Amino acid sequence: MLSKPMTAASINAIILTILDRGDSYGYEIIKHVRDLSDGEIDWPAGSLYPVLHRMKTDGLVTSYWHQPDGERRRRYYRITAQGRTALSAEKKQWFTVHNLLIQLWGPQTRLT
Amino acid sequence: MGTANPFDLEQAIATWRRFLASSKGLLPDDLDELETHLRDEYEACLATGLDPESAYRKAQQRVGDYDTIESAYQPLYWQKVYHERRLRDELTTRLSMLKNYLKIALRTLVREKGYAFINVFGLAVGMACCLLILLFIQKERTYDRFHDQSDQIYRLAYSAESGGTVTDWAYSGAQWGPALAEAFPEEVAAARLQGNLGDGTDLVRYNDNTFSERHIYFADPAVFDVFTLPLLHGDAATALDAPYTIVLSTTMAHKYFGGEDPVGKMLNIDGSDYRVTGVYEALPSNSHIRLDMLASFATLLQDQPDYNSLWLYTYLLLDESSSAESVQAKLPAFMGQHIAREGFLAGLQGLSLQPLTDLHLRSHRQGEPGPGGNPTTLSIFSVVAFLVLALACINFMNLSTARSTGRAREVGMRKTLGANRRQLILQFIGEAVLLCMLSVVLAVGMAWLCLPFFSTLAGTSLSLSVLSDPRIVGGLLAVTVLLGMVTGSYPAFVLSAFQPATVLKGQAGSSSQKARLRQVLVVGQFAVSIALLIGTGIVYQQLDFIRSKTLGFEQDQLLTIPLSGSAVADEATFEAFRSRLLQRPDVLGVTASSNRLGERIWIWNYRPEGWQDEEEYWTTPALLVDYDYIDTYGMEIVAGRNFSRDHGSDATDAILINESAARFLDWDAPVGKTMAVPANESPHNVTVVGVVKDFHFASLHQEVAPLIINLEEGFRRYLTVKISTDNVAESLAFLEDTWAAFEPERPPQFSFVDDQFAQLYAADQRLSRIIWACTGLALLVACLGLLGLISFTTEQRRKEIGVRKVLGASVPGIVMLLSKDFLKLIALAFMVAVPLTYFAAARWLDGFAYRTEVGVAVFLLAGALTLLIALATVSYHAVRAATANPVKALRYE
């Protein structure tokens, strides 16, 4: 299980990335994340939706109700242009942290 | 153990939803989303082989427990909910404040019924007065606008010079209009209206209905193109084509034919039969010309194919594309081509196009079809209306500020409880607007009640029908609100500026500064009232001067009867009639003449002795009379002699001239001088046998013009009878009987000469009456204000008065004390009003050639009257305050 601060830090980037691949709805997003992380990351639905709401207020995503054939009527979310900008900023930061940690955790290099 | 309940998914979900909605405050939209999620999870869990109940528990766990959901959604909702709650709170506060304001306003109104009444009533009187005057002005300004193309209609009129003076005539020549329309066919349509030249009356008969009519015109068929005269019966294209056809207004059709259909019937006018070919909608009263009947112009042309009278009206309808300027520019060339300058037209100066909509107010030419309006009067009315309204507004402000001390505590309280200045200003302005609304409702009611009375006063018929126009109502509302804001703003600013600490300690009083402003306003009010009063006095004085001015003849017992068309006009009948009348001792004289005094007198051409140019004539008014005229009218001969039957030659060649004519011709000894009369049939010379002392034959607005009195017995158009004043009723009855014996079919139309002259001043009389009414109202409003102020002051000084009385002050002393201040103000107002009125009155009097002197008396009288009325107002309260038992005022000390 991911820690609370870690969840809070990563949830935006994860949601935006998933939506960047196509419109989706809450259950699908959670399922997707759960599957890809082998159940390591499993957000309670109750905490995902408020995040989506806030992202909507911030203008990163939009939502619409839609009922695909033979399925339930669901609220779909779609990334906006502003959301894409935010996503690339997130990406850059994650890569920065990632690169740093990889280097730090890799073979010991002298710092002086 | 009981039977295990089979798991019910729908019920579980419903319970879950209900709980989240009621306890955790989730919104339906979000619940829908969560529910679909729950169902998705549930199905996924079922698919892994779990039984329904376990699957549901797993799904619910994944969605999150209640507290997690609540804490996740809370930050989201908090903002929303907070926002809504704040809005709701704000709204309730405002509403309850508004309720409070209204309640306080009403309580104040009820508690101070007297002031409220004075305020609302005073304002309403001012508004009603203003409204009525505005109605009048609006009517005067919208004359002739009911014609569809009123902006494109013009009247063609000429100016002609004669003997050195240029006269502007309202007329044009009979052949000019058609010639103009022919010359510029794409620009102009013309309609001619040949009237009866103002002398009056046509006798119209249908079966037993016989009336004299004054507003019958001969008209071209084009009159229907130019004017908007909707034909109810008949065909506009052909109605006026044939000779001896006539169309009637609805009023006339009803008058002669009642319920019958008049079309096709024959109407007898002055002995000729006309066939009625149509009925048109009668023109509204705001038309400069009254068209009762229109006979075909072809009637005139049948007898005189080249009919070329110079005394008819021509109306032109210009095409939309052409402007009056462009047509006007072509007129001089047109004149050169089409108008022969000979005879009377030798002095033709020019043609003008007068816009139809200007005719009523701005055209005052010779021969106008109606009396016309006066722009000066309108501006006087506007000023008066504005003054009365201003007076009422001043009252309102005055009383509101005076009463402000009474509300000081309320203001202090509100301020202490956190009201800011803006709110207070809004509150008081709102109150003022409310009062204004009340007043305007009252004012409309008053105006409605006074309308018939005011219509008589103003001499026109007015209606409040404009109030059905939503734009007017909107405007009225806007003005009311504006008025409320203006009048309410001063008290609002004063009241809202109170320091709560001071007023709550009870120290708020009227500061001397505020009192001074009130005094200035009172002075202003009374200055206006006094000015109006003086104005009324001067107008009255001038009108009285005119009434009592000796006109140069004895106007009192003279009455006239029109003779044209009557059998009595024939020489033999006239002589018989005359001698029958003269047998009675109460008939002092009988004479016949061509025109009546006070109306337009015909003009004729003369060439006085000594004028060299054979072609030049002196065109001047000339009265054609018989031997008895001068004696009957009691005119004075200052040189030479009167006409006399003893001089045989008088019948053909004697004239009298008035002093003014002698001056004009520069003849020191006129008797014996001759003039040539260029009459077509018999050019001859006439000799001046005497000079008549100047007498007024027109309005006193003008100086006495040169006049020739020509002995010419053939023109018996008016009979004048002088009767003794002993028993007028009996003399009139005798006259009527005698007339009936000679002319049984035609009722005589008596009119007294002094009434005829009074007609000349109808507009002045109207002005006088309206100013009278307004002055009364202004005084009423000013006194109402004074009443409010004095009762307020006495109330404020109750304790002082009590103490004074206890200490031995007398009642007169206290009355004096209370009245003194106000009387000083009125004296000041008097000094302000006098110079203003003096100059205004001088300007109005300049419009009269003969005017009264503005004496000191009228000023003093107005001042004294105002003082008296004010004193009466003030002393009522002062005496009451002074005679009150001091114990009542002091028992709480």
Side-chain angles (χ1 to χ4, degrees), chain A residues 25-27 30 34 42 44-47 49-50 53 65 72-75 77, chain B residues 29-30 32-34 36-37 39-41 43-44 62-64 69 72-73 76:
Chain A
Y25 53 95
Y27 175 74
I30 287 179
R34 192 192 296 145
D42 190 0
S47 56
Y49 290 112
H53 269 278
W65 284 93
R72 242 184 274 288
R73 186 168 168 269
R74 298 196 181 87
R75 179 136 66 186
Y77 293 87
Chain B
D29 199 42
D30 294 325
D32 287 348
E33 194 175 28
L34 275 181
T36 48
H37 193 104
R39 284 177 192 275
D40 283 344
E41 285 284 6
E43 273 160 23
R62 282 194 164 162
V63 169
I69 293 177
Y73 274 95
L76 204 71

mmCIF file of all heavy atoms in Angstrom, chain A residues 25-27 30 34 42 44-47 49-50 53 65 72-75 77, chain B residues 29-30 32-34 36-37 39-41 43-44 62-64 69 72-73 76:
data_model
loop_
_atom_site.group_PDB
_atom_site.id
_atom_site.type_symbol
_atom_site.label_atom_id
_atom_site.label_comp_id
_atom_site.label_asym_id
_atom_site.label_seq_id
_atom_site.Cartn_x
_atom_site.Cartn_y
_atom_site.Cartn_z
ATOM 1 N N TYR A 25 -13.734 6.637 -16.696
ATOM 2 C CA TYR A 25 -14.564 6.914 -15.540
ATOM 3 C C TYR A 25 -13.895 6.343 -14.299
ATOM 4 O O TYR A 25 -12.943 5.545 -14.392
ATOM 5 C CB TYR A 25 -15.966 6.377 -15.736
ATOM 6 C CG TYR A 25 -16.044 4.931 -16.120
ATOM 7 C CD1 TYR A 25 -16.226 3.941 -15.172
ATOM 8 C CD2 TYR A 25 -15.932 4.560 -17.468
ATOM 9 C CE1 TYR A 25 -16.287 2.605 -15.526
ATOM 10 C CE2 TYR A 25 -15.984 3.239 -17.823
ATOM 11 C CZ TYR A 25 -16.170 2.253 -16.852
ATOM 12 O OH TYR A 25 -16.225 0.928 -17.198
ATOM 13 N N GLY A 26 -14.390 6.722 -13.142
ATOM 14 C CA GLY A 26 -13.736 6.445 -11.872
ATOM 15 C C GLY A 26 -13.361 4.968 -11.671
ATOM 16 O O GLY A 26 -12.217 4.647 -11.376
ATOM 17 N N TYR A 27 -14.358 4.096 -11.875
ATOM 18 C CA TYR A 27 -14.086 2.681 -11.626
ATOM 19 C C TYR A 27 -12.964 2.179 -12.501
ATOM 20 O O TYR A 27 -12.060 1.481 -12.060
ATOM 21 C CB TYR A 27 -15.360 1.863 -11.852
ATOM 22 C CG TYR A 27 -15.144 0.395 -11.742
ATOM 23 C CD1 TYR A 27 -14.960 -0.202 -10.487
ATOM 24 C CD2 TYR A 27 -15.079 -0.432 -12.866
ATOM 25 C CE1 TYR A 27 -14.726 -1.554 -10.365
ATOM 26 C CE2 TYR A 27 -14.846 -1.798 -12.769
ATOM 27 C CZ TYR A 27 -14.676 -2.353 -11.512
ATOM 28 O OH TYR A 27 -14.448 -3.692 -11.414
ATOM 29 N N ILE A 30 -9.514 3.372 -11.300
ATOM 30 C CA ILE A 30 -9.050 2.642 -10.118
ATOM 31 C C ILE A 30 -8.604 1.223 -10.484
ATOM 32 O O ILE A 30 -7.551 0.734 -10.073
ATOM 33 C CB ILE A 30 -10.155 2.613 -9.050
ATOM 34 C CG1 ILE A 30 -10.281 4.005 -8.412
ATOM 35 C CG2 ILE A 30 -9.852 1.564 -7.990
ATOM 36 C CD1 ILE A 30 -11.353 4.099 -7.380
ATOM 37 N N ARG A 34 -5.004 -0.364 -10.117
ATOM 38 C CA ARG A 34 -4.848 -1.554 -9.274
ATOM 39 C C ARG A 34 -4.138 -2.660 -10.060
ATOM 40 O O ARG A 34 -3.177 -3.272 -9.596
ATOM 41 C CB ARG A 34 -6.227 -2.011 -8.810
ATOM 42 C CG ARG A 34 -6.174 -3.051 -7.691
ATOM 43 C CD ARG A 34 -7.540 -3.662 -7.506
ATOM 44 N NE ARG A 34 -8.527 -2.711 -7.055
ATOM 45 C CZ ARG A 34 -9.809 -2.739 -7.426
ATOM 46 N NH1 ARG A 34 -10.244 -3.651 -8.269
ATOM 47 N NH2 ARG A 34 -10.654 -1.859 -6.965
ATOM 48 N N ASP A 42 -4.248 0.916 -4.491
ATOM 49 C CA ASP A 42 -5.677 0.651 -4.575
ATOM 50 C C ASP A 42 -6.404 1.765 -3.838
ATOM 51 O O ASP A 42 -6.592 1.722 -2.640
ATOM 52 C CB ASP A 42 -5.980 -0.712 -3.936
ATOM 53 C CG ASP A 42 -7.400 -1.129 -4.229
ATOM 54 O OD1 ASP A 42 -8.127 -0.371 -4.924
ATOM 55 O OD2 ASP A 42 -7.814 -2.192 -3.746
ATOM 56 N N PRO A 44 -9.300 4.025 -2.429
ATOM 57 C CA PRO A 44 -10.729 3.913 -2.169
ATOM 58 C C PRO A 44 -11.456 4.876 -3.108
ATOM 59 O O PRO A 44 -10.998 6.010 -3.305
ATOM 60 C CB PRO A 44 -10.881 4.353 -0.720
ATOM 61 C CG PRO A 44 -9.518 4.670 -0.231
ATOM 62 C CD PRO A 44 -8.569 4.682 -1.363
ATOM 63 N N ALA A 45 -12.580 4.377 -3.646
ATOM 64 C CA ALA A 45 -13.311 5.220 -4.598
ATOM 65 C C ALA A 45 -13.675 6.563 -3.962
ATOM 66 O O ALA A 45 -13.618 7.618 -4.599
ATOM 67 C CB ALA A 45 -14.567 4.516 -5.059
ATOM 68 N N GLY A 46 -14.035 6.521 -2.679
ATOM 69 C CA GLY A 46 -14.462 7.739 -1.987
ATOM 70 C C GLY A 46 -13.429 8.840 -1.999
ATOM 71 O O GLY A 46 -13.761 10.013 -1.868
ATOM 72 N N SER A 47 -12.155 8.494 -2.145
ATOM 73 C CA SER A 47 -11.160 9.566 -2.167
ATOM 74 C C SER A 47 -10.756 9.957 -3.585
ATOM 75 O O SER A 47 -10.174 11.016 -3.810
ATOM 76 C CB SER A 47 -9.936 9.182 -1.348
ATOM 77 O OG SER A 47 -9.421 7.964 -1.848
ATOM 78 N N TYR A 49 -12.948 10.372 -6.225
ATOM 79 C CA TYR A 49 -13.889 11.316 -6.828
ATOM 80 C C TYR A 49 -13.679 12.766 -6.387
ATOM 81 O O TYR A 49 -13.695 13.677 -7.214
ATOM 82 C CB TYR A 49 -15.327 10.841 -6.598
ATOM 83 C CG TYR A 49 -15.629 9.616 -7.420
ATOM 84 C CD1 TYR A 49 -15.843 8.378 -6.829
ATOM 85 C CD2 TYR A 49 -15.655 9.710 -8.802
ATOM 86 C CE1 TYR A 49 -16.084 7.254 -7.593
ATOM 87 C CE2 TYR A 49 -15.897 8.586 -9.566
ATOM 88 C CZ TYR A 49 -16.112 7.364 -8.968
ATOM 89 O OH TYR A 49 -16.350 6.276 -9.728
ATOM 90 N N PRO A 50 -13.475 13.007 -5.105
ATOM 91 C CA PRO A 50 -13.209 14.402 -4.725
ATOM 92 C C PRO A 50 -12.010 14.996 -5.464
ATOM 93 O O PRO A 50 -12.038 16.165 -5.848
ATOM 94 C CB PRO A 50 -12.953 14.318 -3.228
ATOM 95 C CG PRO A 50 -13.719 13.129 -2.791
ATOM 96 C CD PRO A 50 -13.635 12.150 -3.922
ATOM 97 N N HIS A 53 -13.125 15.916 -8.784
ATOM 98 C CA HIS A 53 -13.913 17.138 -8.673
ATOM 99 C C HIS A 53 -13.031 18.371 -8.622
ATOM 100 O O HIS A 53 -13.275 19.371 -9.290
ATOM 101 C CB HIS A 53 -14.776 17.111 -7.397
ATOM 102 C CG HIS A 53 -16.126 16.536 -7.627
ATOM 103 N ND1 HIS A 53 -17.153 17.252 -8.145
ATOM 104 C CD2 HIS A 53 -16.606 15.286 -7.419
ATOM 105 C CE1 HIS A 53 -18.222 16.477 -8.255
ATOM 106 N NE2 HIS A 53 -17.903 15.256 -7.809
ATOM 107 N N TRP A 65 -21.888 12.921 -18.527
ATOM 108 C CA TRP A 65 -22.559 11.638 -18.305
ATOM 109 C C TRP A 65 -22.716 10.943 -19.648
ATOM 110 O O TRP A 65 -23.082 11.561 -20.630
ATOM 111 C CB TRP A 65 -23.916 11.840 -17.646
ATOM 112 C CG TRP A 65 -23.826 12.164 -16.184
ATOM 113 C CD1 TRP A 65 -23.787 13.390 -15.642
ATOM 114 C CD2 TRP A 65 -23.741 11.235 -15.121
ATOM 115 N NE1 TRP A 65 -23.678 13.308 -14.275
ATOM 116 C CE2 TRP A 65 -23.652 11.982 -13.923
ATOM 117 C CE3 TRP A 65 -23.715 9.824 -15.022
ATOM 118 C CZ2 TRP A 65 -23.546 11.386 -12.675
ATOM 119 C CZ3 TRP A 65 -23.627 9.244 -13.774
ATOM 120 C CH2 TRP A 65 -23.536 10.023 -12.588
ATOM 121 N N ARG A 72 -23.735 0.558 -18.003
ATOM 122 C CA ARG A 72 -24.332 1.492 -17.063
ATOM 123 C C ARG A 72 -24.065 2.935 -17.494
ATOM 124 O O ARG A 72 -23.074 3.182 -18.182
ATOM 125 C CB ARG A 72 -23.695 1.285 -15.694
ATOM 126 C CG ARG A 72 -24.659 0.850 -14.648
ATOM 127 C CD ARG A 72 -23.959 0.765 -13.337
ATOM 128 N NE ARG A 72 -23.302 -0.537 -13.144
ATOM 129 C CZ ARG A 72 -23.964 -1.665 -12.905
ATOM 130 N NH1 ARG A 72 -25.276 -1.670 -12.836
ATOM 131 N NH2 ARG A 72 -23.322 -2.795 -12.727
ATOM 132 N N ARG A 73 -24.913 3.813 -17.070
ATOM 133 C CA ARG A 73 -24.675 5.233 -17.330
ATOM 134 C C ARG A 73 -23.624 5.704 -16.341
ATOM 135 O O ARG A 73 -23.766 5.524 -15.128
ATOM 136 C CB ARG A 73 -25.986 5.997 -17.128
ATOM 137 C CG ARG A 73 -25.929 7.443 -17.507
ATOM 138 C CD ARG A 73 -27.344 8.020 -17.547
ATOM 139 N NE ARG A 73 -27.289 9.478 -17.627
ATOM 140 C CZ ARG A 73 -27.286 10.257 -16.560
ATOM 141 N NH1 ARG A 73 -27.312 9.724 -15.332
ATOM 142 N NH2 ARG A 73 -27.237 11.589 -16.709
ATOM 143 N N ARG A 74 -22.549 6.310 -16.866
ATOM 144 C CA ARG A 74 -21.448 6.675 -15.984
ATOM 145 C C ARG A 74 -20.971 8.087 -16.275
ATOM 146 O O ARG A 74 -21.193 8.635 -17.356
ATOM 147 C CB ARG A 74 -20.259 5.731 -16.205
ATOM 148 C CG ARG A 74 -20.552 4.296 -15.883
ATOM 149 C CD ARG A 74 -19.268 3.556 -15.758
ATOM 150 N NE ARG A 74 -19.529 2.138 -15.467
ATOM 151 C CZ ARG A 74 -19.743 1.239 -16.431
ATOM 152 N NH1 ARG A 74 -19.695 1.581 -17.689
ATOM 153 N NH2 ARG A 74 -19.987 -0.018 -16.088
ATOM 154 N N ARG A 75 -20.296 8.643 -15.261
ATOM 155 C CA ARG A 75 -19.697 9.962 -15.498
ATOM 156 C C ARG A 75 -18.288 9.752 -16.032
ATOM 157 O O ARG A 75 -17.451 9.163 -15.360
ATOM 158 C CB ARG A 75 -19.649 10.780 -14.212
ATOM 159 C CG ARG A 75 -19.017 12.134 -14.436
ATOM 160 C CD ARG A 75 -19.743 13.275 -13.771
ATOM 161 N NE ARG A 75 -19.714 13.206 -12.326
ATOM 162 C CZ ARG A 75 -20.387 14.037 -11.527
ATOM 163 N NH1 ARG A 75 -21.119 15.001 -12.059
ATOM 164 N NH2 ARG A 75 -20.329 13.915 -10.235
ATOM 165 N N TYR A 77 -14.678 11.294 -17.597
ATOM 166 C CA TYR A 77 -13.809 12.465 -17.448
ATOM 167 C C TYR A 77 -12.917 12.573 -18.665
ATOM 168 O O TYR A 77 -12.526 11.565 -19.265
ATOM 169 C CB TYR A 77 -12.976 12.354 -16.167
ATOM 170 C CG TYR A 77 -13.839 12.434 -14.930
ATOM 171 C CD1 TYR A 77 -14.421 11.290 -14.399
ATOM 172 C CD2 TYR A 77 -14.081 13.670 -14.326
ATOM 173 C CE1 TYR A 77 -15.236 11.351 -13.291
ATOM 174 C CE2 TYR A 77 -14.897 13.745 -13.217
ATOM 175 C CZ TYR A 77 -15.486 12.584 -12.691
ATOM 176 O OH TYR A 77 -16.295 12.667 -11.605
ATOM 177 N N ASP B 29 -25.873 14.020 -7.211
ATOM 178 C CA ASP B 29 -25.055 13.829 -8.397
ATOM 179 C C ASP B 29 -23.839 12.961 -8.067
ATOM 180 O O ASP B 29 -23.489 12.019 -8.788
ATOM 181 C CB ASP B 29 -24.612 15.211 -8.892
ATOM 182 C CG ASP B 29 -24.176 15.150 -10.334
ATOM 183 O OD1 ASP B 29 -24.865 14.473 -11.113
ATOM 184 O OD2 ASP B 29 -23.152 15.788 -10.659
ATOM 185 N N ASP B 30 -23.185 13.294 -6.940
ATOM 186 C CA ASP B 30 -22.002 12.548 -6.540
ATOM 187 C C ASP B 30 -22.379 11.133 -6.106
ATOM 188 O O ASP B 30 -21.644 10.176 -6.358
ATOM 189 C CB ASP B 30 -21.302 13.269 -5.390
ATOM 190 C CG ASP B 30 -20.752 14.605 -5.843
ATOM 191 O OD1 ASP B 30 -20.308 14.691 -7.008
ATOM 192 O OD2 ASP B 30 -20.800 15.570 -5.055
ATOM 193 N N ASP B 32 -24.814 9.359 -7.343
ATOM 194 C CA ASP B 32 -25.016 8.571 -8.561
ATOM 195 C C ASP B 32 -23.698 7.978 -9.028
ATOM 196 O O ASP B 32 -23.597 6.803 -9.369
ATOM 197 C CB ASP B 32 -25.577 9.467 -9.677
ATOM 198 C CG ASP B 32 -27.039 9.813 -9.419
ATOM 199 O OD1 ASP B 32 -27.632 9.182 -8.525
ATOM 200 O OD2 ASP B 32 -27.559 10.721 -10.098
ATOM 201 N N GLU B 33 -22.691 8.854 -9.010
ATOM 202 C CA GLU B 33 -21.380 8.423 -9.499
ATOM 203 C C GLU B 33 -20.819 7.290 -8.621
ATOM 204 O O GLU B 33 -20.356 6.255 -9.128
ATOM 205 C CB GLU B 33 -20.425 9.616 -9.488
ATOM 206 C CG GLU B 33 -19.165 9.370 -10.284
ATOM 207 C CD GLU B 33 -18.305 10.618 -10.342
ATOM 208 O OE1 GLU B 33 -18.366 11.438 -9.402
ATOM 209 O OE2 GLU B 33 -17.570 10.781 -11.323
ATOM 210 N N LEU B 34 -20.947 7.513 -7.310
ATOM 211 C CA LEU B 34 -20.431 6.496 -6.384
ATOM 212 C C LEU B 34 -21.195 5.189 -6.540
ATOM 213 O O LEU B 34 -20.632 4.098 -6.467
ATOM 214 C CB LEU B 34 -20.552 7.000 -4.944
ATOM 215 C CG LEU B 34 -19.409 7.882 -4.444
ATOM 216 C CD1 LEU B 34 -19.659 8.281 -3.004
ATOM 217 C CD2 LEU B 34 -18.072 7.142 -4.564
ATOM 218 N N THR B 36 -22.729 3.923 -9.202
ATOM 219 C CA THR B 36 -22.306 3.143 -10.382
ATOM 220 C C THR B 36 -20.979 2.445 -10.076
ATOM 221 O O THR B 36 -20.746 1.304 -10.467
ATOM 222 C CB THR B 36 -22.129 4.018 -11.639
ATOM 223 O OG1 THR B 36 -21.350 5.147 -11.290
ATOM 224 C CG2 THR B 36 -23.446 4.452 -12.189
ATOM 225 N N HIS B 37 -20.138 3.186 -9.373
ATOM 226 C CA HIS B 37 -18.848 2.595 -9.018
ATOM 227 C C HIS B 37 -19.054 1.339 -8.163
ATOM 228 O O HIS B 37 -18.473 0.285 -8.420
ATOM 229 C CB HIS B 37 -18.015 3.614 -8.236
ATOM 230 C CG HIS B 37 -16.584 3.209 -8.094
ATOM 231 N ND1 HIS B 37 -15.566 3.759 -8.820
ATOM 232 C CD2 HIS B 37 -15.996 2.257 -7.298
ATOM 233 C CE1 HIS B 37 -14.427 3.197 -8.491
ATOM 234 N NE2 HIS B 37 -14.654 2.265 -7.556
ATOM 235 N N ARG B 39 -21.599 -0.577 -7.978
ATOM 236 C CA ARG B 39 -22.166 -1.679 -8.763
ATOM 237 C C ARG B 39 -21.094 -2.319 -9.627
ATOM 238 O O ARG B 39 -21.046 -3.555 -9.758
ATOM 239 C CB ARG B 39 -23.301 -1.156 -9.650
ATOM 240 C CG ARG B 39 -24.576 -0.891 -8.869
ATOM 241 C CD ARG B 39 -25.635 -0.301 -9.791
ATOM 242 N NE ARG B 39 -26.749 0.222 -9.026
ATOM 243 C CZ ARG B 39 -27.784 -0.545 -8.609
ATOM 244 N NH1 ARG B 39 -27.806 -1.823 -8.899
ATOM 245 N NH2 ARG B 39 -28.759 -0.010 -7.927
ATOM 246 N N ASP B 40 -20.213 -1.512 -10.210
ATOM 247 C CA ASP B 40 -19.127 -2.070 -11.027
ATOM 248 C C ASP B 40 -18.255 -3.002 -10.178
ATOM 249 O O ASP B 40 -17.924 -4.116 -10.591
ATOM 250 C CB ASP B 40 -18.271 -0.940 -11.603
ATOM 251 C CG ASP B 40 -18.973 -0.266 -12.782
ATOM 252 O OD1 ASP B 40 -19.935 -0.863 -13.325
ATOM 253 O OD2 ASP B 40 -18.590 0.879 -13.147
ATOM 254 N N GLU B 41 -17.895 -2.488 -8.982
ATOM 255 C CA GLU B 41 -17.034 -3.286 -8.089
ATOM 256 C C GLU B 41 -17.724 -4.600 -7.716
ATOM 257 O O GLU B 41 -17.131 -5.668 -7.703
ATOM 258 C CB GLU B 41 -16.730 -2.490 -6.802
ATOM 259 C CG GLU B 41 -15.721 -1.366 -6.976
ATOM 260 C CD GLU B 41 -14.282 -1.875 -7.077
ATOM 261 O OE1 GLU B 41 -14.067 -3.096 -7.126
ATOM 262 O OE2 GLU B 41 -13.384 -1.016 -7.126
ATOM 263 N N GLU B 43 -20.019 -6.262 -9.285
ATOM 264 C CA GLU B 43 -20.042 -7.254 -10.359
ATOM 265 C C GLU B 43 -18.689 -7.902 -10.542
ATOM 266 O O GLU B 43 -18.578 -9.104 -10.774
ATOM 267 C CB GLU B 43 -20.491 -6.583 -11.665
ATOM 268 C CG GLU B 43 -22.008 -6.604 -11.768
ATOM 269 C CD GLU B 43 -22.542 -5.572 -12.753
ATOM 270 O OE1 GLU B 43 -21.795 -5.146 -13.659
ATOM 271 O OE2 GLU B 43 -23.709 -5.171 -12.584
ATOM 272 N N ALA B 44 -17.621 -7.025 -10.371
ATOM 273 C CA ALA B 44 -16.261 -7.579 -10.499
ATOM 274 C C ALA B 44 -16.022 -8.632 -9.410
ATOM 275 O O ALA B 44 -15.431 -9.700 -9.672
ATOM 276 C CB ALA B 44 -15.238 -6.459 -10.395
ATOM 277 N N ARG B 62 -14.129 -1.360 -0.844
ATOM 278 C CA ARG B 62 -13.258 -0.717 -1.827
ATOM 279 C C ARG B 62 -13.696 0.721 -2.112
ATOM 280 O O ARG B 62 -12.862 1.574 -2.386
ATOM 281 C CB ARG B 62 -13.262 -1.523 -3.127
ATOM 282 C CG ARG B 62 -12.396 -2.749 -3.015
ATOM 283 C CD ARG B 62 -12.150 -3.325 -4.362
ATOM 284 N NE ARG B 62 -11.031 -4.257 -4.291
ATOM 285 C CZ ARG B 62 -10.813 -5.180 -5.235
ATOM 286 N NH1 ARG B 62 -11.611 -5.260 -6.280
ATOM 287 N NH2 ARG B 62 -9.775 -5.989 -5.118
ATOM 288 N N VAL B 63 -15.008 0.935 -2.105
ATOM 289 C CA VAL B 63 -15.477 2.310 -2.332
ATOM 290 C C VAL B 63 -15.019 3.185 -1.162
ATOM 291 O O VAL B 63 -14.691 4.357 -1.342
ATOM 292 C CB VAL B 63 -17.011 2.357 -2.475
ATOM 293 C CG1 VAL B 63 -17.524 3.783 -2.433
ATOM 294 C CG2 VAL B 63 -17.419 1.718 -3.787
ATOM 295 N N GLY B 64 -14.961 2.599 0.006
ATOM 296 C CA GLY B 64 -14.490 3.376 1.149
ATOM 297 C C GLY B 64 -15.523 3.382 2.237
ATOM 298 O O GLY B 64 -16.722 3.333 1.953
ATOM 299 N N ILE B 69 -15.197 8.595 3.119
ATOM 300 C CA ILE B 69 -15.923 9.336 2.082
ATOM 301 C C ILE B 69 -16.238 10.745 2.583
ATOM 302 O O ILE B 69 -15.999 11.736 1.895
ATOM 303 C CB ILE B 69 -17.223 8.599 1.709
ATOM 304 C CG1 ILE B 69 -16.881 7.283 1.019
ATOM 305 C CG2 ILE B 69 -18.078 9.469 0.790
ATOM 306 C CD1 ILE B 69 -18.094 6.449 0.682
ATOM 307 N N ALA B 72 -13.277 12.967 2.669
ATOM 308 C CA ALA B 72 -12.760 13.292 1.334
ATOM 309 C C ALA B 72 -13.637 14.353 0.650
ATOM 310 O O ALA B 72 -13.135 15.261 -0.008
ATOM 311 C CB ALA B 72 -12.713 12.019 0.484
ATOM 312 N N TYR B 73 -14.943 14.216 0.845
ATOM 313 C CA TYR B 73 -15.840 15.152 0.164
ATOM 314 C C TYR B 73 -15.963 16.486 0.905
ATOM 315 O O TYR B 73 -16.319 17.495 0.317
ATOM 316 C CB TYR B 73 -17.228 14.525 -0.011
ATOM 317 C CG TYR B 73 -17.339 13.691 -1.262
ATOM 318 C CD1 TYR B 73 -17.132 12.315 -1.249
ATOM 319 C CD2 TYR B 73 -17.669 14.298 -2.473
ATOM 320 C CE1 TYR B 73 -17.222 11.556 -2.401
ATOM 321 C CE2 TYR B 73 -17.772 13.536 -3.629
ATOM 322 C CZ TYR B 73 -17.552 12.181 -3.588
ATOM 323 O OH TYR B 73 -17.658 11.448 -4.735
ATOM 324 N N LEU B 76 -14.455 19.660 -0.290
ATOM 325 C CA LEU B 76 -15.067 20.011 -1.566
ATOM 326 C C LEU B 76 -16.382 20.767 -1.344
ATOM 327 O O LEU B 76 -16.680 21.764 -1.989
ATOM 328 C CB LEU B 76 -15.351 18.705 -2.293
ATOM 329 C CG LEU B 76 -15.454 18.784 -3.791
ATOM 330 C CD1 LEU B 76 -14.072 19.047 -4.354
ATOM 331 C CD2 LEU B 76 -15.992 17.452 -4.298
#
